[in-house]
Amino acid sequence: MSVQDYLDKHLLSRKIEDAVNAAVRAKSPDPVLFIANHMRKVVQPVITKIKARQILDSRGIPTVEVDLFTNKGMFRASAPSGDPSGMYEAFELRDGDKAVYLGKSVTRAVKNINEKISEALIGMDPTLQSQIDHAMIDLDKTEKKSELGINAILAVSIAACKAGAGEKEVPLYKYIADLAGKSQLTIPTPAFTVISGGKHAGNNLAIQEIMIVPTGAIRFDEALQMGSETYYHLKAVITEKHGAHGCNVGVDGGFAPNISSIKEGLDLVKEAISRTEYTEKISIALGAAASNFCQGTKYDLDFKSPKKSGQNFKSGEEMIEMYKELCAEYPIISIEDPFDKEDWEHIKCISNLGTCQVVGDELLMSNPKRIERAIQENTCNALLLKINQIGTVTEAIEVVKQAKDANWGVVISHRSGETEDSFIADLSVGLSSGQIKAGAPCRGERLAKYNQLLRIEEDLGDAAFYAGDEWRQPLSHQVV
């Protein structure tokens, strides 16, 4: 036993003795409860240990998991990951050794936590989220967090947030709301991925996903039921038209039938919705991820097809007309990244039409500088927040406030590489984002988020407010 361990143990024994004596003096009818409450007051909240490890995400690719210890216990968190897509997002640190996990292992990030970050944070108060996050940012000293790795920093930041909630003895979503200065809480309207395409599936569909949004539900549990039932009606529709092999799924759990046009996918979804009792209660959202099929100034909607006809090359203006037609024909309320991440003019054009919400994903990268530019230029009107693009809980809170102050919509988003960590569910409620996307209503790493929202709604009881058809500005009628 080290000298410090001896002193810590001796000090704890003295505090327990003091608590027992206090209980005797007070003649407490419940001395055990009295001692427990007394100890909570005298034992200062402090991070005592941080231990990181490498685990696998939902794609079978390594990511970082952290156990953060305080006097209250152990708090675990893991970092989601996606396909790095540009110079504007924070840096995900990987080993690069092609002989181990094809270069994707994260032992360097793990080592950074176990040695550098641990040394810097042990002894800090876990309830001081901003100080913890900025301590890591200062330790890294790079703009993109490339020294320590965003995967290392984020996992610790989330674990510290959970520990802070534990110290305060409040639910995680309530603690996040307190950090953000929110007095009202909102259960977000979910956007369920039901058809996958783009780089997330092996079919010929150019856009990344088609989602259903239960805006007409009254509660989240009803929204989840709508999503699940429609998903399985869609499975039946696809089986009838494309056979059972058409029900293979993409990385987010959406079905991946061998379709090549957006309309073909939308017709399948429309048919599935018509087989439910929710025809007027379910809207549709598109995740275009158009950077994936942009070639110069043109957009190749056949970019995955082995038999390209050349007929599906569209200019920016032709893409705008296509989106206008789709929004007129189908109940589409939101489109993510309808154009390339550097095609600001065409994104601005479709945003100014006012036909639907236009969400910046790769356009913004959750980067405050990109968000500020988009606000100033009226480029889009919603933020897709991916927490591993920004890096810490504190920074996530700040960019959501930045977007909300501009009257934007906010979508809290999962990543293609997910874990069982349900943190973004609590984050979406605590920040009253109004919108969340966590993939299909299937697969454990996706359902972890949706099931946590069920628990939160149950916990809130009559105080639960489901965003529903107020998904863009869920607190507009309430005093915040």
Side-chain angles (χ1 to χ4, degrees), residues 162-311:
K162 293 179 179 181
E167 289 293 341
K168 295 288 188 179
E169 298 184 345
V170 296
L172 180 56
Y173 63 86
K174 176 66 168 62
Y175 181 68
I176 292 170
D178 290 342
L179 289 176
K182 295 281 187 180
S183 59
Q184 301 288 343
L185 299 170
T186 304
I187 310 292
T189 304
F192 300 108
T193 303
V194 291
I195 289 185
S196 293
K199 289 186 175 180
H200 285 187
N203 53 15
N204 292 328
L205 181 63
I207 68 169
Q208 191 159 282
E209 58 192 333
I210 299 174
M211 296 166 278
I212 55 172
V213 189
T215 53
I218 303 301
R219 293 174 52 84
F220 180 81
D221 59 354
E222 182 186 10
L224 187 58
Q225 179 181 341
M226 289 181 181
S228 177
E229 291 178 3
T230 306
Y231 183 80
Y232 281 99
H233 279 297
L234 178 59
K235 183 177 183 179
V237 172
I238 292 172
T239 301
E240 293 166 12
K241 296 181 182 295
H242 297 276
H245 64 277
C247 294
N248 293 333
V249 299
V251 296
D252 299 337
F255 297 117
N258 192 25
I259 56 177
S260 56
S261 76
I262 303 172
K263 278 196 171 187
E264 191 176 355
L266 287 169
D267 285 338
L268 292 173
V269 173
K270 190 175 180 179
E271 171 63 23
I273 294 173
S274 73
R275 297 186 184 188
T276 72
E277 299 175 357
Y278 317 122
T279 305
E280 302 300 320
K281 296 182 177 181
I282 295 178
S283 302
I284 294 175
L286 302 180
S291 293
N292 292 334
F293 53 89
C294 179
Q295 296 188 12
T297 59
K298 298 281 188 176
Y299 293 87
D300 182 9
L301 295 177
D302 280 336
F303 85 106
K304 295 199 297 180
S305 175
K307 300 178 181 179
K308 293 186 179 183
S309 64
Q311 300 298 309

